[in-house]
Amino acid sequence: MNTPYRSLDAIAREAGTDKGSQWHDYMHMYAHEFARFKDEPIRFLEIGLWEGASAKLWETYFPKAELHFLDISFDALKYRSGRSHYHLCNQEDPADLQRFLSQVPGPFDIIVDDGGHTARQQLTSFSHLFPRVQSGGIYVIEDLHSSYWGGTGPGSTIHFLKALVDEVNFIGARTGRASQANVPDEVRPEMTFYRDQVRSISFSSSVAVIERR
Ligand SMILES: C[S@@+](CC[C@H](N)C(=O)[O-])C[C@H]1O[C@@H](n2cnc3c(N)ncnc32)[C@H](O)[C@@H]1O
């Protein structure tokens, strides 16, 4: 019996997104990760609209959220509401991402990447958008199975994310003290942005969740 999962999955299935249990079954992960944001006036961004089913899902689940969706094309869009903000943007084009961020600077409490799922798209988007995640907020990369199909070596998203595990553990490995709030002065120059700003990274089937400190 898991009521939050069941009710969220029912919304996902009704909306028609492949995030529901009829396909990827991501709502176990989302019920867990999104519970603390559910009734808050958060700012939310999802990359990848397709027909708009996930816009319908998140509009229902987050009654107080400011919702943004971006896609390279609106050609497939069937559901378009006045509640959400829709943006044309190419997630693998740094200049286009900067243009989007000049219009919607954030910070965002939640960013979900459900776009084109290539490494270049996922990594370009992450490098530009993760710095705009609010402290305590999360960045979700969906459909990581695609990262295994072209090899898992350097350049792949899964390779980058595995390396991020080492960045999260850097301060403990370097000093024997896990607190990121008490970095010794002599180690401070080694604190890269990700070492300093990624509080946690977790994986579930085909999804990574990266939390900002
Ligand atoms: C899997 S669908 C999104 C599904 C939707 N989130 C849902 O759950 O119903 C992926 C979307 O990513 C978009 N996409 C593909 N390449 C993109 C790019 N370079 N920039 C932005 N969006 C892109 C596609 O146009 C498509 O609409």
Side-chain angles (χ1 to χ4, degrees):
M1 192 66 167
N2 182 338
T3 307
Y5 161 70
R6 283 181 197 283
S7 60
L8 181 52
D9 187 55
I11 302 171
R13 291 178 66 106
E14 165 68 23
T17 165
D18 67 0
K19 301 180 198 303
S21 57
Q22 82 284 14
W23 194 254
H24 292 308
D25 203 10
Y26 287 149
M27 294 304 138
H28 287 285
M29 178 275 298
Y30 279 129
H32 173 71
E33 295 290 346
F34 284 0
R36 66 190 164 104
F37 299 104
K38 184 182 178 339
D39 293 309
E40 301 297 323
I42 61 163
R43 187 175 291 117
F44 175 101
L45 169 67
E46 180 168 13
I47 303 167
L49 264 164
W50 187 235
E51 294 180 341
S54 56
K56 205 175 192 178
L57 160 66
W58 302 130
E59 285 179 0
T60 307
Y61 183 69
F62 293 118
K64 298 180 185 160
E66 177 185 308
L67 298 164
H68 296 267
F69 297 91
L70 70 78
D71 204 295
I72 197 167
S73 160
F74 294 157
D75 287 352
L77 197 54
K78 289 183 182 161
Y79 174 78
R80 184 167 189 155
S81 78
R83 162 86 196 281
S84 294
H85 304 269
Y86 299 80
H87 310 273
L88 276 176
C89 179
N90 180 352
Q91 72 168 134
E92 68 179 272
D93 179 349
D96 215 18
L97 286 166
Q98 287 304 341
R99 181 191 54 75
F100 164 72
L101 288 171
S102 70
Q103 293 163 3
V104 188
F108 300 95
D109 298 279
I110 296 172
I111 298 179
V112 175
D113 183 349
D114 185 23
H117 306 311
T118 68
R120 185 176 159 142
Q121 289 166 337
Q122 290 167 332
L123 296 177
T124 305
S125 296
F126 184 78
S127 67
H128 286 80
L129 297 176
F130 183 73
R132 303 300 181 99
V133 171
Q134 182 89 270
S135 174
I138 57 176
Y139 191 107
V140 181
I141 304 179
E142 284 190 6
D143 294 12
L144 275 179
H145 41 266
S146 61
S147 188
Y148 289 83
W149 295 341
T152 57
S156 70
T157 302
I158 198 65
H159 186 271
F160 171 82
L161 293 172
K162 287 176 182 174
L164 213 48
V165 173
D166 294 331
E167 303 293 67
V168 171
N169 287 312
F170 171 80
I171 194 62
R174 178 75 172 74
T175 70
R177 191 176 176 190
S179 171
Q180 285 172 307
N182 295 293
V183 178
D185 286 344
E186 67 274 18
V187 181
R188 214 165 276 287
E190 298 173 51
M191 293 300 287
T192 60
F193 176 74
Y194 290 142
R195 286 172 183 173
D196 188 48
Q197 291 296 315
V198 177
R199 187 194 299 280
S200 68
I201 176 165
S202 60
F203 295 92
S204 53
S205 184
S206 284
V207 180
V209 178
I210 303 105
E211 182 188 14
R212 182 150 185 198
R213 191 159 78 87

